Amino acid sequence: MTAATPAPPMIRMEGVDKFFGDLHVLKDINIEVPAGQVVVVLGPSGSGKSTLCRAINRLEPINQGVIEVDGKPLPAEGKALAGLRADVGMVFQQFNLFAHKTIADNVALAPVKVRKMNKGEARQHAMGLLERVGITDQAEKYPAQLSGGQQQRAAIARALAMKPKVMLFDEPTSALDPEMVQEVLDVMTNLAKEGMTMLVVTHEMGFARRAANRVVFMSDGEIVEDSTPDVFFTAPKSDRAKDFLGKILTH
Amino acid sequence: MTAATPAPPMIRMEGVDKFFGDLHVLKDINIEVPAGQVVVVLGPSGSGKSTLCRAINRLEPINQGVIEVDGKPLPAEGKALAGLRADVGMVFQQFNLFAHKTIADNVALAPVKVRKMNKGEARQHAMGLLERVGITDQAEKYPAQLSGGQQQRAAIARALAMKPKVMLFDEPTSALDPEMVQEVLDVMTNLAKEGMTMLVVTHEMGFARRAANRVVFMSDGEIVEDSTPDVFFTAPKSDRAKDFLGKILTH
Amino acid sequence: GDRNADSGNSGNSGASGGIVAKAKNDKKLTIGIKYDQPGIGLKTPDGKYEGFDVDVARYIAKELGVEESGITWKEAKTPERENLIEKNEVDFVSASYSMSDARRKRVAFVGPYYQPGQDLLVKAGRTDITDPEKLNGKKLCSVKGSTSAQSVADKYAKTVQLQEYTTYSECLTGIDSGLLDAATTDNTILAGYAKANPGKYKVVGRPFTTENIGIGLSLKDAEAKTAIYNALKKLQDTGEWKKLMEKHFAGAEGYTIPAAPPAQFTDK
Amino acid sequence: MFDLIEKYNVLDAFWLTIKLTFYAAILSLIWGTILAGMRVSPVPAMRAFGTLYVNLFRNTPLTLILVATSIVLKNTLGVTMFADEQSQDFFAILDFRLAILGLTAYTATFVCESIRSGINTVPVGQAEAARALGLSFAQVLRIIVLPQAFRSVVGPLASVLIALTKNTTVATAIGVAEAAGILRAMIEFESDRIMVVFLIFALGFVILTLPTGLILGQVAKKVAVKR
Amino acid sequence: MSAPSVLYDAPGPKAKARNHGYTAAFIVVIGAIAWYVISELLDSGQLDWPRWEPFVNGSGVWTAYILPGLQNTLIAAALAIVIALPLGAILGIARLSQHLWIRAIAGTIVEFFRAVPVLILMVFARVIYFEFTTLPEENLALFSVVTGLVLYNASVLAEVFRAGILSLPKGQTEAASALGLRKTQLMTLILLPQAITVMLPAIVSQLVVTLKDTALGGAILSFPDLLDSVGKITANFGSNVIASFVIIAAIYIMINSLLTWFAGWLERKLAKRKKAPKAKPIHIATETGAGASMDMGGGGDSGSD
Ligand SMILES: Nc1ncnc2c1ncn2[C@@H]1O[C@H](COP(=O)(O)OP(=O)(O)OP(=O)(O)O)[C@@H](O)[C@H]1O
Ligand SMILES: Nc1ncnc2c1ncn2[C@@H]1O[C@H](COP(=O)(O)OP(=O)(O)OP(=O)(O)O)[C@@H](O)[C@H]1O
Ligand SMILES: [Mg+2]
Ligand SMILES: [Mg+2]
């Protein structure tokens, strides 16, 4: 655990427990992510990575423990919760672009509706973001007309449009064709370089090595290891991590 | 192009063209696969890899050109076509196991119905194959009860049950969770070692390097390169191949 | 026992030997009656059949030599009576069967064996409706397919509001709640309801038409016509007719049992 | 054929069919939407009521429902549906309105189920993405979920409308003189031209339902959300 | 353990309190309406015991009227479905034929009988049987009811069959062909068995529709069905029409709920085995009732890409 610093950590989870019925999916989770850090979460399927990620903006309510974002505890509902979520960007495995709106509208929607930005400004801002992720020419198309890689980049632009303090990524590249993985990872790498605080669930070891400050390894709802990428990939401590790396790295 | 050998090549395509409406998806394809060779087909999405693969057992009829399997031209329909297909094993990305039959029945079905093997014998043979792919204990389950990796291994066993002369694989591991990819590749590697003629569409570069005799690179419906894995991965000739490798290998 | 269930080909004899011969030889008859008309023809929950028409049918059967045990009862719904006779599925029909000219084209009648008149049924204790003219502005109920309500509107009360239902029971719920003021049809039918629900309804007792109710049977069976004629005549002559009328209708408020109709028991 | 249509006022009868369909369609849409709202609401009592209502009315024959409106509502409870009691047409108007009521009570269950399944076709991810952006409950519903749900509901609702059109014939059971109401007379008096009579009615309904199916089918295709 | 909902966020403490409030208010409203209806019924004497007594005191209403009516209803519905199933299968497969003219004929038949109300089909079946056959009068109503139901249901089931076969992933066909199975083997060994299991719930649902439609026979054709028994009961017990309706409706609801429950159970049971990646919902205009949405199961993705 990192020592407490004067500035509060961007994300803090303390003693978090989560159950689905009888299933204990998060077990006494304690983690802090300081501002500007990129944390990659690894672990076998079903280990609770997604649940961890979704708990941070309360898409999954937790049963026990404390979650704080930027020093403030997670509100339970209503306006306060919406306000917090606006500050936390989230990117999903399945992109989840609004199917009935164009790409530009997808990106401009929340700034207008939540941040009360005026429409023209929001649109201009959206086009800037689309340029940043390299899909300006797709602005007027509908999500279904784009390739997976393009959709995921649009989804990142949509999250960035809210100028979030922290970004959560839940397996952003696992639904993509292999050639499109890189274009999305490039966007994420740039984001990391610019100092965005990020929590990334991914199986892309290359990205973990290159862009992460820390690697958190989960298994069975527990955080089993929490170290630097170098240490984790070269000298994993637990058997579970070794086994996992063995399976994932041979091919 | 390889020179003609006394024994006919297992697969031969000559001047093959294929259209979907106006879309020209296979452009003057010429390729020969000698018996016992393992050929990996690479290329970006939409380049025509699946179509090439499916044309060989006429799941997609072609518009122009000649396809021969084991020296005999591909029949157009009826009994002759069914007979040829029985000699060509095929493994799909989505496994396509028969959902209403147990794994053992999936494997034993075609030998009984097509090869007129008697049921007891077919079953024994099926159990032998399931052992070979390492899922004997799943024999009485239904496909939906198996993991993706187990399903794909069952699908390979089902194809092998017909004692095919050649096996076609269309992205056999792309629908799998990363931890299951290796178990399927292992089965395929063993098959290659045993001397099976194989044509494999895949993005698994490790497999291509390890098990392939030849790599064929497709782009926009054309065969752009056809060389050994060593040459292809270290010194691709065309820009398109270089570009593709750049995208796929960085992560 | 539910005799409705056995398909009985008993009716076929009509074409061959006629029902008199059949009754004599087989000791069996199939008779069409109403199942849902208190006082006239009713199938009771314990599987019995009762009502004036049913008793008349029993009498005729007995005269033809058939005991109760030899009778197969069959439901003869209003729109189906001609069909049943034409297809020889019943030997005769005794089901408040009006002898109309339209029907005479398809079936033969023997009768009238009673002559009800169209009348009104109102809530017991109600005194404002004494005759059909009083129905102006009132709500009158009858049953689908009968022309009785329309004739009231045409002849007696121009501004009556008419309502039609499938069964008279439905009319009665409307009278109970006060939505409807009166129901109209043959006074015997009305009397049946009044008697079945003592103290609830009364017949107004001012019949304004005369209906001729007869036994319906096949056009081809002349011998049967005579036999039934004789039976009905005997019914009247022995005073049995009066007894049956009293058994089924006496005590219905507002209904007076009429004299037997003039003995003219065959159709033209 | 045309002489028959004129003699029996077939067009008037079909006009009544159309009117029944029209009013019942509008009301079922409203009541069905309210029911759907109850069935997906977070309030258990509303969900229970919605479920109970749908299961009762969907499993009862329409014939029985219509006859019951007449016997229970009109005869027993004295419901007059705002019809003028003094009017000569009191019963005609009342029965027409009761038929609409019965058709609505029944059809709304199917509208409800269509809407509910329409909502179910919207992937949860769409709502989660919207929530994750900070949209409020009302905004998620209004901007993201309902627009997508309504688009996928057009097709099923078209089927409901067609079924309703055909179901208006059952109103004959309570004496409404819509298309099926004049059938009896035509069959009785035109028994020698029975096939012509059949064709008139069959074609009448084909004309009423086929365009509905085709047009709404096109609309459904056009507005469908591509995923 | 609430699965995430498309409509609501996981409720917080305030939301929970609010929901309790709504619950209370709603119960009050429903209670008031129920109270009004019951008191009206009481006032008009409809809840008086004598009107209900015949149904429990062994008066014979069950054996004399209700059960025979129910028997007729069940017979008509069962006959209709049993006859409509093979007809529907033939029409459905014909609509998938490679020959345009077969598709056209089957398509016209299906669309025509789906457009014409069942009631009108029944009425005309009756007229035609009466005019052109020597069927006995007492079977006429049953035959007409069954004929109307068969014509309509065969058309609906044709669509169910077609949709059922089409809903199977294309990969099933491709895998079978790739193994060397012939067309008939493909249909009989792979497609039909899967299609039928996929369709079973839809077929059971159609049975509910059919059961309800038999009531038309009672109201219009004097077919002595369950609904028709009301007339006989009320003739014996005065005007206990409401009591009779309530009992008869309860019987329909019970049987149909049972069937619906069975369909759902079947669907869940089959889904467990099939666990298809994505069920493709298929909407078919059914009934006198309506677009019962039928989850046909079966995968949405076709193996090729
Ligand atoms: N809504 C839910 N209801 C019940 N159980 C759930 C739900 N969501 C997840 N789970 C279960 O919780 C456990 C953790 O799931 P989670 O999705 O967090 O795992 P994961 O590590 O993200 O796996 P993957 O790599 O497959 O995405 C799993 O066992 C999963 O089956
Ligand atoms: N049935 C079809 N109808 C029309 N176009 C098709 C069809 N199948 C494939 N195509 C098109 O043909 C082209 C080649 O498709 P193919 O599936 O062979 O590519 P691929 O190389 O296998 O791609 P991937 O890596 O995505 O599987 C693509 O542009 C595709 O959109
Ligand atoms: Mg996950
Ligand atoms: Mg492909």
Side-chain angles (χ1 to χ4, degrees):
Chain A
M1 302 289 123
T2 43
T5 47
M10 192 53 85
I11 302 172
R12 195 170 79 87
M13 301 177 88
E14 195 184 314
V16 171
D17 279 287
K18 162 82 187 171
F19 295 82
F20 281 117
D22 285 341
L23 195 66
H24 201 167
V25 288
L26 292 183
K27 299 179 185 158
D28 190 27
I29 298 289
N30 293 289
I31 188 176
E32 292 190 2
V33 181
Q37 226 184 43
V38 175
V39 175
V40 162
V41 181
L42 296 174
S45 182
S47 56
K49 309 180 296 292
S50 297
T51 310
L52 177 87
C53 197
R54 293 157 54 83
I56 295 170
N57 64 359
R58 208 176 182 278
L59 284 182
E60 298 288 359
I62 56 172
N63 299 90
Q64 186 96 42
V66 179
I67 301 180
E68 284 175 13
V69 175
D70 201 13
K72 287 180 285 289
L74 203 58
E77 60 196 325
K79 229 177 181 162
L81 178 61
L84 175 121
R85 283 171 171 170
D87 284 344
V88 176
M90 182 147 189
V91 176
F92 302 84
Q93 179 178 358
Q94 296 299 339
F95 331 138
N96 293 344
L97 290 174
F98 304 133
H100 61 309
K101 298 210 173 278
T102 62
I103 298 303
D105 287 345
N106 261 278
V107 179
L109 178 83
V112 173
K113 301 289 177 186
V114 179
R115 296 261 187 257
K116 311 296 175 198
M117 205 185 271
N118 84 45
K119 281 197 183 166
E121 200 185 328
R123 211 182 152 74
Q124 219 175 335
H125 183 206
M127 293 309 291
L129 285 166
L130 290 180
E131 199 179 330
R132 194 161 142 200
V133 300
I135 49 168
T136 330
D137 44 338
Q138 312 294 327
E140 296 315 318
K141 291 193 186 160
Y142 285 89
Q145 297 170 294
L146 268 59
S147 78
Q150 292 167 330
Q151 286 193 56
Q152 194 59 298
R153 284 184 279 160
I156 295 175
R158 178 176 68 176
L160 290 177
M162 298 298 285
K163 306 198 177 113
K165 297 177 184 165
V166 50
M167 290 276 288
L168 309 172
F169 294 84
D170 187 6
E171 304 205 22
T173 60
S174 7
L176 298 178
D177 279 342
E179 315 124 68
M180 295 166 183
V181 170
Q182 199 50 47
E183 60 194 39
V184 172
L185 291 180
D186 286 347
V187 170
M188 290 168 60
T189 309
N190 284 336
L191 212 54
K193 280 190 196 140
E194 289 162 20
M196 175 63 79
T197 314
M198 293 164 63
L199 187 127
V200 185
V201 179
T202 186
H203 287 290
E204 293 297 331
M205 299 304 144
F207 177 81
R209 280 183 212 248
R210 211 176 332 118
N213 301 107
R214 252 164 85 194
V215 169
V216 167
F217 177 73
M218 290 187 71
S219 176
D220 278 327
E222 287 173 294
I223 294 187
V224 181
E225 306 211 13
D226 183 346
S227 53
T228 62
D230 266 359
V231 172
F232 181 76
F233 287 114
T234 51
K237 271 167 273 171
S238 64
D239 286 346
R240 283 189 275 185
K242 279 178 202 152
D243 182 54
F244 175 76
L245 284 173
K247 272 188 184 160
I248 216 120
L249 291 180
T250 39
H251 57 98
Chain B
M1 303 292 120
T2 44
T5 48
M10 193 53 84
I11 302 173
R12 195 170 80 86
M13 300 177 87
E14 196 183 312
V16 170
D17 278 288
K18 162 80 186 172
F19 295 82
F20 280 117
D22 284 342
L23 194 67
H24 202 166
V25 287
L26 292 182
K27 298 176 186 162
D28 189 25
I29 298 291
N30 293 287
I31 188 175
E32 291 191 359
V33 180
Q37 226 183 39
V38 175
V39 176
V40 163
V41 181
L42 295 175
S45 181
S47 57
K49 309 181 295 293
S50 296
T51 312
L52 176 87
C53 196
R54 294 155 55 81
I56 295 169
N57 65 359
R58 212 170 185 282
L59 283 181
E60 298 288 359
I62 56 172
N63 300 89
Q64 185 98 42
V66 180
I67 300 180
E68 285 176 10
V69 174
D70 201 16
K72 286 181 284 291
L74 206 56
E77 60 193 339
K79 216 174 185 162
L81 177 60
L84 174 121
R85 283 172 170 169
D87 284 344
V88 177
M90 181 147 191
V91 176
F92 302 83
Q93 180 178 351
Q94 297 296 344
F95 332 137
N96 293 343
L97 291 173
F98 302 131
H100 63 308
K101 297 207 174 282
T102 62
I103 298 302
D105 287 345
N106 261 279
V107 179
L109 176 83
V112 172
K113 298 294 175 181
V114 179
R115 295 260 188 260
K116 311 295 175 201
M117 203 185 270
N118 85 44
K119 281 195 184 168
E121 199 185 331
R123 209 182 153 76
Q124 216 174 338
H125 182 206
M127 293 308 293
L129 286 166
L130 290 180
E131 196 178 333
R132 197 162 142 197
V133 298
I135 49 168
T136 329
D137 43 341
Q138 312 294 327
E140 297 315 319
K141 292 192 185 162
Y142 286 91
Q145 298 170 296
L146 269 59
S147 77
Q150 291 169 330
Q151 285 192 56
Q152 193 60 299
R153 284 185 279 160
I156 295 175
R158 178 176 68 176
L160 291 177
M162 299 296 285
K163 304 193 176 120
K165 296 177 183 165
V166 51
M167 289 277 286
L168 309 172
F169 293 83
D170 187 4
E171 303 204 21
T173 59
S174 8
L176 300 178
D177 278 341
E179 309 133 69
M180 295 165 183
V181 170
Q182 199 50 46
E183 62 193 39
V184 172
L185 290 180
D186 286 345
V187 169
M188 290 169 62
T189 309
N190 283 336
L191 212 54
K193 279 191 196 139
E194 289 161 20
M196 174 65 77
T197 314
M198 292 162 65
L199 186 125
V200 184
V201 178
T202 186
H203 287 290
E204 293 297 331
M205 298 304 144
F207 176 82
R209 280 182 210 245
R210 211 174 332 118
N213 301 107
R214 251 163 87 194
V215 169
V216 167
F217 176 71
M218 290 186 73
S219 175
D220 278 329
E222 287 174 296
I223 293 185
V224 180
E225 305 213 13
D226 183 343
S227 53
T228 62
D230 265 359
V231 172
F232 181 75
F233 287 112
T234 51
K237 272 166 274 170
S238 64
D239 287 345
R240 282 190 277 187
K242 278 178 204 156
D243 181 53
F244 175 75
L245 284 173
K247 276 189 181 160
I248 215 121
L249 291 180
T250 39
H251 58 97
Chain C
D2 180 21
R3 280 163 230 198
N4 198 19
D6 39 1
S7 58
N9 52 0
S10 41
N12 301 347
S13 49
S16 50
I19 61 176
V20 177
K22 175 185 164 188
K24 204 165 178 184
N25 300 333
D26 302 351
K27 302 284 177 215
K28 273 189 185 140
L29 279 175
T30 305
I31 306 173
I33 55 169
K34 293 267 181 194
Y35 275 13
D36 55 2
Q37 211 98 91
I40 308 289
L42 185 71
K43 183 184 177 190
T44 63
D46 47 12
K48 296 211 177 73
Y49 300 88
E50 53 183 51
F52 180 73
D53 277 349
V54 178
D55 281 341
V56 169
R58 283 198 181 102
Y59 191 89
I60 295 171
K62 191 157 185 220
E63 288 305 303
L64 295 178
V66 177
E67 294 298 323
E68 168 88 35
S69 60
I71 300 176
T72 305
W73 300 108
K74 220 173 226 191
E75 182 169 17
K77 295 199 174 202
T78 301
E80 267 153 59
R81 290 176 296 200
E82 288 86 8
N83 296 349
L84 285 168
I85 294 169
E86 273 188 337
K87 293 212 162 184
N88 293 318
E89 285 171 45
V90 294
D91 294 313
F92 63 84
V93 165
S94 170
S96 66
Y97 208 177
S98 277
M99 305 162 58
S100 75
D101 284 342
R103 288 174 181 151
R104 281 195 178 94
K105 287 183 195 143
R106 297 177 61 190
V107 300
F109 285 106
V110 183
Y113 60 93
Y114 65 109
Q115 288 178 309
Q118 190 177 347
D119 205 331
L120 302 172
L121 186 80
V122 296
K123 232 182 192 160
R126 192 159 175 171
T127 51
D128 56 334
I129 299 172
T130 49
D131 52 48
E133 280 89 358
K134 295 276 173 18
L135 284 171
N136 272 317
K138 297 273 188 311
K139 302 190 180 73
L140 175 66
C141 181
S142 72
V143 160
K144 220 167 279 174
S146 91
T147 51
S148 44
Q150 194 55 49
S151 69
V152 172
D154 293 344
K155 287 185 202 142
Y156 302 99
K158 291 270 175 302
T159 62
V160 67
Q161 296 173 23
L162 298 180
Q163 174 70 1
E164 286 195 335
Y165 282 116
T166 331
T167 67
Y168 287 105
S169 304
E170 292 168 16
C171 287
L172 297 187
T173 59
I175 291 179
D176 286 346
S177 73
L179 173 84
L180 298 166
D181 298 292
T184 182
T185 186
D186 295 354
N187 55 4
T188 41
I189 293 176
L190 298 177
Y193 283 108
K195 184 166 180 185
N197 301 277
K200 282 183 79 175
Y201 313 108
K202 69 166 186 184
V203 181
V204 167
R206 276 279 317 274
F208 43 93
T209 63
T210 307
E211 303 288 328
N212 291 311
I213 301 299
I215 302 291
L217 69 164
S218 167
L219 283 171
K220 296 180 192 125
D221 201 345
E223 188 190 3
K225 276 172 85 170
T226 317
I228 291 174
Y229 167 81
N230 290 332
L232 290 176
K233 190 158 171 27
K234 188 169 169 198
L235 179 74
Q236 265 186 20
D237 294 348
T238 54
E240 185 69 16
W241 186 90
K242 188 102 186 153
K243 272 192 213 152
L244 288 181
M245 282 301 272
E246 270 161 5
K247 173 177 166 197
H248 292 292
F249 302 112
E253 190 181 347
Y255 180 76
T256 29
I257 291 170
Q264 174 226 340
F265 283 127
T266 42
D267 223 2
K268 299 162 202 173
Chain D
M1 181 156 172
F2 292 103
D3 58 312
L4 284 182
I5 293 177
E6 224 160 278
K7 187 167 158 201
Y8 291 93
N9 293 325
V10 174
L11 293 182
D12 287 350
F14 269 102
W15 178 235
L16 205 59
T17 297
I18 292 171
K19 282 201 289 186
L20 272 177
T21 308
F22 177 78
Y23 292 119
I26 304 250
L27 292 175
S28 323
L29 203 60
I30 296 170
W31 178 224
T33 308
I34 294 173
L35 281 173
M38 288 186 190
R39 286 207 74 176
V40 299
S41 88
V43 181
M46 288 190 186
R47 280 206 305 275
F49 173 82
T51 309
L52 185 72
Y53 179 94
V54 168
N55 282 331
L56 289 187
F57 280 81
R58 200 180 44 177
N59 284 324
T60 309
L62 175 61
T63 321
L64 200 158
I65 293 176
L66 282 175
V67 176
T69 58
S70 172
I71 303 301
V72 180
L73 291 184
K74 178 173 71 174
N75 280 11
T76 309
L77 298 180
V79 172
T80 57
M81 307 279 308
F82 311 108
D84 175 11
E85 281 212 52
Q86 301 314 313
S87 157
Q88 278 267 280
D89 296 331
F90 171 63
F91 284 119
I93 293 169
L94 179 52
D95 289 342
F96 175 72
R97 291 182 186 173
L98 285 170
I100 292 173
L101 187 72
L103 285 166
T104 299
Y106 182 73
T107 310
T109 63
F110 296 93
V111 172
C112 166
E113 291 306 273
S114 303
I115 292 178
R116 209 166 63 100
S117 68
I119 290 172
N120 286 336
T121 61
V122 181
V124 179
Q126 295 282 314
E128 290 190 336
R131 280 177 215 147
L133 283 169
L135 269 65
S136 70
F137 165 75
Q139 286 175 320
V140 174
L141 221 57
R142 189 166 40 91
I143 305 172
I144 307 299
V145 177
L146 292 185
Q148 294 192 38
F150 275 129
R151 286 157 190 245
S152 62
V153 139
V154 176
L157 283 187
S159 311
V160 174
L161 179 62
I162 289 172
L164 169 63
T165 310
K166 296 192 289 166
N167 279 341
T168 55
T169 50
V170 182
T172 197
I174 58 168
V176 178
E178 43 63 58
I182 56 169
L183 203 57
R184 191 187 294 264
M186 286 183 80
I187 288 173
E188 190 165 331
F189 299 114
E190 306 292 339
S191 55
D192 47 336
R193 295 162 75 185
I194 205 69
M195 285 321 286
V196 182
V197 176
F198 177 64
L199 271 180
I200 289 175
F201 283 93
L203 287 180
F205 277 96
V206 169
I207 289 168
L208 283 187
T209 57
L210 217 53
T212 318
L214 288 178
I215 293 168
L216 289 181
Q218 281 310 109
V219 173
K221 239 184 225 155
K222 218 178 141 200
V223 299
V225 184
K226 287 173 195 71
R227 301 200 191 278
Chain E
M1 63 152 293
S2 57
S5 145
V6 69
L7 294 170
Y8 304 98
D9 219 330
K14 264 190 236 158
K16 278 181 190 152
R18 209 168 38 230
N19 288 348
H20 288 313
Y22 289 148
T23 305
F26 185 75
I27 289 176
V28 167
V29 170
I30 293 295
I33 295 173
W35 175 247
Y36 166 77
V37 172
I38 289 173
S39 60
E40 283 289 314
L41 287 174
L42 276 173
D43 283 354
S44 58
Q46 287 300 330
L47 300 183
D48 293 354
W49 182 239
R51 299 192 199 246
W52 297 81
E53 199 185 2
F55 294 102
V56 289
N57 71 354
S59 66
V61 281
W62 290 91
T63 47
Y65 314 119
I66 298 178
L67 295 181
L70 178 61
Q71 188 187 352
N72 283 332
T73 288
L74 294 177
I75 287 174
L79 269 181
I81 280 287
V82 166
I83 300 171
L85 262 176
L87 272 180
I90 292 168
L91 282 172
I93 292 173
R95 282 199 90 176
L96 292 169
S97 161
Q98 291 168 322
H99 305 288
L100 176 68
W101 64 274
I102 296 182
R103 282 203 310 274
I105 292 175
T108 312
I109 294 175
V110 167
E111 291 304 328
F112 180 79
F113 285 110
R114 286 209 305 161
V116 182
V118 199
L119 184 151
I120 288 185
L121 292 176
M122 287 181 185
V123 170
F124 278 98
R126 182 184 176 101
V127 176
I128 286 167
Y129 283 141
F130 182 77
E131 297 279 333
F132 303 110
T133 69
T134 53
L135 285 171
E137 177 72 19
E138 72 180 338
N139 291 342
L140 215 61
L142 173 69
F143 276 58
S144 321
V145 168
V146 170
T147 303
L149 290 174
V150 163
L151 290 177
Y152 172 65
N153 282 295
S155 309
V156 173
L157 289 173
E159 290 302 275
V160 172
F161 268 92
R162 188 165 76 123
I165 290 173
L166 287 179
S167 77
L168 297 175
K170 214 169 89 199
Q172 296 286 316
T173 304
E174 293 188 339
S177 314
L179 284 171
L181 265 61
R182 308 289 305 275
K183 261 189 194 161
T184 36
Q185 288 178 321
L186 165 68
M187 192 48 98
T188 55
L189 295 174
I190 308 297
L191 296 185
L192 271 184
Q194 291 192 62
I196 287 195
T197 39
V198 162
M199 289 170 0
L200 262 181
I203 291 171
V204 179
S205 312
Q206 202 54 32
L207 195 55
V208 170
V209 172
T210 307
L211 220 102
K212 287 190 289 176
D213 278 351
T214 53
L216 288 173
I220 311 296
L221 298 185
S222 44
F223 173 57
D225 77 330
L226 181 55
L227 184 56
D228 189 60
S229 62
V230 171
K232 287 166 200 151
I233 298 170
T234 52
N236 276 282
F237 298 100
S239 42
N240 64 341
V241 188
I242 290 185
S244 310
F245 272 128
V246 168
I247 301 287
I248 298 298
I251 295 173
Y252 277 113
I253 290 167
M254 237 170 54
I255 294 173
N256 287 333
S257 299
L258 250 150
L259 281 172
T260 308
W261 172 85
F262 175 66
W265 175 83
L266 212 61
E267 200 165 356
R268 280 191 299 279
K269 194 184 133 135
L270 298 173
K272 217 175 265 170
R273 198 175 78 190
K274 277 213 61 199
K275 200 165 73 185
K278 221 179 239 166
K280 202 196 257 173
I282 289 167
H283 292 283
I284 294 169
T286 56
E287 227 220 332
T288 172
S293 99
M294 280 172 275
D295 241 2
M296 306 289 295
D301 38 9
S302 49
S304 74
D305 62 351

